[in-house]
Amino acid sequence: MMMKKLTAAAAAGLSSALALVLAASPGMGQSAQAKPTTMQASAASLEDWWKNAVIYEVYPRSFQDSNGDGIGDLNGITQRLDYLEKLGVDAIWITPCYPSPQADFGYDIADYVAIDAQYGTMADFDRLVAEASKHHIRIVMDMVMNHSSDEHKWFKASRSSKTNPYRDWYVWKDGKGETATDKGAPPNNWLSVFGHSAWEWDETTRQYYYHKFYVKQPDFNWNNPKVQKAFDDIVKFWTKKGVAGFRFDAITTLFEDPSFSDETVVKDKAGNPVISELGDVVTDGKLTDNLPGVDVEMAHMRTVFDAVPANKFPGRRVMIGETYVPSIADLARLYGTKDKPEFELPMDMQLGITNKMDAVAIRAKLTDVETKIGSNLPLLVFENHDNPRIDARYGDGVHNADITRVLSTVLLASHGASMFYYGSELGMATTPPERKEDVKDPVGLLGWPKYKGRDGERTPMQWDETANAGFSTETAKPWLPVPANKATVNVKAEEADPNSLLNWYKALISLKKTHPALAGGEMVMLDVSNTKTLSWLRSSVDGKQKVVVVTNFTADPQTVNLASEVTGSGLKTLLKSPSAKDATSLGAIEVPGFGVFVGEVR
Ligand code: NOJ
């Protein structure tokens, strides 16, 4: 389930190869050849690097362990920069690696301007930035401003007394019906994303504090200008160090409605309250999510961020948002205005929560971002560390690799920037814990067995077939078990197989970077009444070059006729899935079950 559904455990219930046509790509290392353009281009295109970027999410705990302690680390990422460069990515987003008690695996930060010893040192971080720049890869950090760890010195001070200068840095309230001897009930019915009340009683000062996420993640009070100032300084600190952007975590939940009244309970068709998988009465989340203060704050952050002088990474630094918003209008709002810009790339989570192979639903989402966000560009995404991987949400158990080819084509051949999660390019499968006692993510303990938490999508990266898949030494005990399919689903095996998913991703990324029609121009949906296939046209900015993309969302072969919509005398194959045929005529493009055809219009 996508994180929104998770958020909505609260809000909505926790329910939630190829004959690589090497005409376009002369060999397996082809995608790396496209890379230098990104860093070495003209000033204008440097400024725009992010618009057609491929951003790769690294969950540092699970990517590469360099010291055999079973936990991935920064030096591990540095070791794998060659791989990432060959894959063709422009930037890596590293989920939090700051000092943390790891109650939420880094999203509970105890010091915003240091590196957790588990992941290395500040010197390791600096080396990673320097090496990444040599590999033409930008570093994007995670910035968690909604909450800190309860072990952060600010919260420790805040909870120590009602008169402490840090008291007002967090959200404190009296209980309902509280007396000198009775804590009363929580101030209102607001829910934590991770289950049950969002309010935690604190005996020392006899008040409740608000936590949208785990109890150990108290929310900041963003109405306090000192909080804003503290984060301005934190963002400046990392930007000066060479960070090329931030992914702002849980950003839509920064503010709470000042009324602190109860949220509306969500009812089912029969009028009964909806109960989440975590056993809570579901509320609509309208007083705790997507409030207007977020726009004001992010417009401010944009001015701070932009004011830091250029660092190792030339070109624009970007603000990416974790933006699970209810509608395309809300997403459009988060780009800000010309005078008050906010995010460059608020993530389009709407696409990734379609959750089934439905050409019509995905067409609607792509049309939305092509037509309803002005001249802005989307950041498309299907997978991340909070949600089961593609196999568990879109797969049918038989054609998972081909289904991933279809979705990766949607991701990488559409207009805009694309983000994917480590291991997507291999077809890594969701592998949830088998026993409750093995669960690491606390919400999985609460939700067991209906909801097993997020461990399943966080298993170690599969580099090779050895005992720990090359993630760690063979004798180490990785923090999560290595899935058994490492025998075949791994970088080493897939690099050697021209029909592998990994080589499909490389070819797609290479096309995105090098073909003028895929690199920048517009996108028009074709054959829009077809419920089985999804086809679109990409054109270069000057309109001279055109590419058609045809994807089959069913297990049966389909033939698509685009002759009445696209002018041209024929097609040249750029990329097709392993069992697909070359198509020469726009009038009859045949695609096998869950097949893909990408062709240049002649
Ligand atoms: C979203 C992050 O992606 C997730 O992993 C985390 O638990 C919450 N925000 C809270 O920080």
Side-chain angles (χ1 to χ4, degrees):
M1 69 209 54
M2 290 299 277
M3 188 69 183
K4 181 60 188 179
K5 287 203 170 178
L6 202 64
T7 303
L14 237 174
S15 26
S16 162
L18 133 149
L20 265 195
V21 176
L22 300 175
S25 29
M28 280 178 211
Q30 77 283 6
S31 40
Q33 291 158 17
K35 289 297 302 165
T37 53
T38 312
M39 291 282 198
Q40 294 163 7
S42 67
S45 61
L46 271 176
E47 195 52 23
D48 286 350
W49 71 270
W50 50 277
K51 291 188 172 170
N52 190 45
V54 177
I55 304 173
Y56 184 92
E57 180 189 350
V58 172
Y59 197 69
R61 210 173 172 77
S62 301
F63 193 62
Q64 179 66 61
D65 170 20
S66 73
N67 61 0
D69 66 357
I71 295 171
D73 45 48
L74 297 182
N75 286 340
I77 302 173
T78 306
Q79 281 172 17
R80 297 296 186 177
L81 288 168
D82 271 347
Y83 169 79
L84 294 169
E85 182 179 6
K86 285 188 183 130
L87 185 56
V89 306
D90 298 291
I92 54 173
W93 151 36
I94 305 176
T95 63
C97 50
Y98 314 101
S100 161
Q102 307 289 336
D104 189 14
F105 297 108
Y107 283 95
D108 47 321
I109 299 173
D111 182 349
Y112 284 84
V113 287
I115 297 291
D116 192 303
Q118 290 191 23
Y119 299 126
T121 63
M122 193 58 93
D124 295 335
F125 177 79
D126 291 339
R127 197 165 65 87
L128 170 59
V129 171
E131 292 298 315
S133 131
K134 291 183 199 154
H135 286 81
H136 318 295
I137 294 173
R138 291 172 164 83
I139 304 289
V140 171
M141 295 284 272
D142 217 311
M143 189 43 60
V144 187
M145 310 204 303
N146 180 70
H147 49 267
S148 69
S149 163
D150 64 343
E151 296 181 36
H152 195 293
K153 62 182 180 197
W154 298 334
F155 188 71
K156 288 184 181 164
S158 183
R159 81 192 318 180
S160 66
S161 89
K162 281 187 174 169
T163 54
N164 185 284
Y166 286 92
R167 183 67 173 181
D168 200 26
W169 283 48
Y170 294 85
V171 182
W172 292 97
K173 287 272 168 231
D174 289 334
K176 262 191 202 160
E178 183 189 333
T179 65
T181 52
D182 183 351
K183 63 183 184 180
N188 57 36
N189 70 348
W190 295 358
L191 290 175
S192 158
V193 170
F194 295 135
H196 307 346
S197 174
W199 295 97
E200 181 73 5
W201 174 254
D202 201 52
E203 188 58 36
T204 312
T205 55
R206 300 193 57 78
Q207 274 195 315
Y208 287 83
Y209 69 86
Y210 176 65
H211 58 93
K212 182 76 179 172
F213 296 90
Y214 284 124
V215 168
K216 283 184 69 61
Q217 294 170 298
D219 273 49
F220 284 110
N221 171 16
W222 274 89
N223 294 310
N224 182 346
K226 291 185 180 146
V227 171
Q228 184 189 64
K229 170 76 175 63
F231 276 95
D232 290 356
D233 292 345
I234 291 164
V235 162
K236 283 185 209 157
F237 173 87
W238 290 104
T239 310
K240 282 183 193 152
K241 275 196 160 292
V243 162
F246 291 98
R247 172 264 191 192
F248 290 90
D249 181 69
I251 202 66
T252 62
T253 62
L254 224 51
F255 287 87
E256 297 75 44
D257 188 274
S259 71
F260 283 87
S261 18
D262 279 352
E263 286 184 332
T264 304
V265 168
V266 177
K267 304 260 175 72
D268 62 17
K269 283 190 188 131
N272 300 315
V274 173
I275 307 297
S276 76
E277 284 179 355
L278 298 174
D280 297 311
V281 173
V282 172
T283 59
D284 66 2
K286 293 208 169 132
L287 302 181
T288 53
D289 198 359
N290 203 24
L291 298 182
V294 174
D295 295 277
V296 177
E297 197 45 54
M298 296 322 283
H300 164 79
M301 182 54 84
R302 180 65 180 273
T303 60
V304 172
F305 193 42
D306 285 354
V308 181
N311 59 29
K312 276 200 186 52
F313 295 105
R316 182 160 204 86
R317 290 176 301 240
V318 295
M319 287 172 47
I320 297 171
E322 188 201 21
T323 38
Y324 289 99
V325 285
S327 72
I328 188 69
D330 289 296
L331 188 69
R333 208 195 67 230
L334 289 166
Y335 289 91
T337 60
K338 197 164 173 284
D339 296 337
K340 285 207 163 144
E342 299 175 37
F343 295 97
E344 276 84 7
L345 295 172
M347 289 183 207
D348 173 18
M349 307 307 296
Q350 299 268 315
L351 174 71
I353 57 171
T354 44
N355 283 344
K356 62 177 192 239
M357 288 301 282
D358 179 342
V360 175
I362 290 192
R363 181 184 294 125
K365 297 297 175 199
L366 291 177
T367 305
D368 272 355
V369 287
E370 188 63 18
T371 59
K372 296 184 183 155
I373 59 171
S375 58
N376 296 303
L377 287 162
L379 175 55
L380 303 175
V381 53
F382 277 105
E383 290 181 311
N384 62 27
H385 63 283
D386 291 325
N387 301 284
R389 290 176 178 271
I390 279 177
D391 65 310
R393 289 183 292 125
Y394 296 87
D396 63 0
V398 179
H399 307 95
N400 287 4
D402 282 329
I403 286 171
T404 306
R405 282 187 182 87
V406 168
L407 296 179
S408 56
T409 306
V410 168
L411 186 79
L412 291 156
S414 294
H415 191 194
S418 321
M419 175 180 273
F420 62 94
Y421 184 46
Y422 82 92
S424 301
E425 74 276 25
L426 305 176
M428 272 177 61
T430 317
T431 316
E434 283 169 12
R435 306 175 314 166
K436 190 175 178 186
E437 54 268 42
D438 296 331
V439 172
K440 297 281 193 298
D441 183 18
V443 69
L445 293 171
L446 190 64
W448 191 271
K450 272 193 190 157
Y451 177 60
K452 299 181 176 173
R454 298 166 291 174
D455 296 350
E457 53 268 23
R458 299 175 175 180
T459 56
M461 175 72 172
Q462 296 170 204
W463 297 102
D464 60 35
E465 74 295 351
T466 59
N468 282 325
F471 160 71
S472 186
T473 55
E474 294 201 36
T475 51
K477 186 170 185 303
W479 79 284
L480 283 175
V482 175
N485 70 1
K486 65 146 173 36
T488 51
V489 178
N490 69 62
V491 171
K492 191 176 143 210
E494 295 197 32
E495 274 178 346
D497 173 7
N499 285 343
S500 70
L501 208 46
L502 175 57
N503 280 316
W504 173 263
Y505 266 78
K506 283 185 182 175
L508 260 176
I509 294 171
S510 177
L511 265 184
K512 181 177 171 74
K513 296 284 157 190
T514 56
H515 199 292
L518 291 173
E522 64 170 6
M523 172 170 183
V524 175
M525 289 294 155
L526 301 171
D527 194 22
V528 295
S529 56
N530 197 325
T531 57
K532 299 183 169 155
T533 58
L534 181 64
S535 308
W536 64 95
L537 175 71
R538 296 292 311 274
S539 312
S540 57
V541 177
D542 62 8
K544 288 187 181 148
Q545 302 203 48
K546 293 189 187 306
V547 165
V548 291
V549 183
V550 179
T551 55
N552 182 356
F553 276 65
T554 72
D556 302 318
Q558 306 291 338
T559 303
V560 170
N561 180 351
L562 304 177
S564 64
E565 295 176 88
V566 180
T567 312
S569 58
L571 286 169
K572 178 185 131 195
T573 304
L574 294 175
L575 193 63
K576 61 187 173 90
S577 40
S579 53
K581 295 184 195 148
D582 290 317
T584 51
S585 153
L586 280 157
I589 303 172
E590 289 176 41
V591 268
F594 298 115
V596 175
F597 172 83
V598 183
E600 190 176 76
V601 181
R602 299 241 160 125

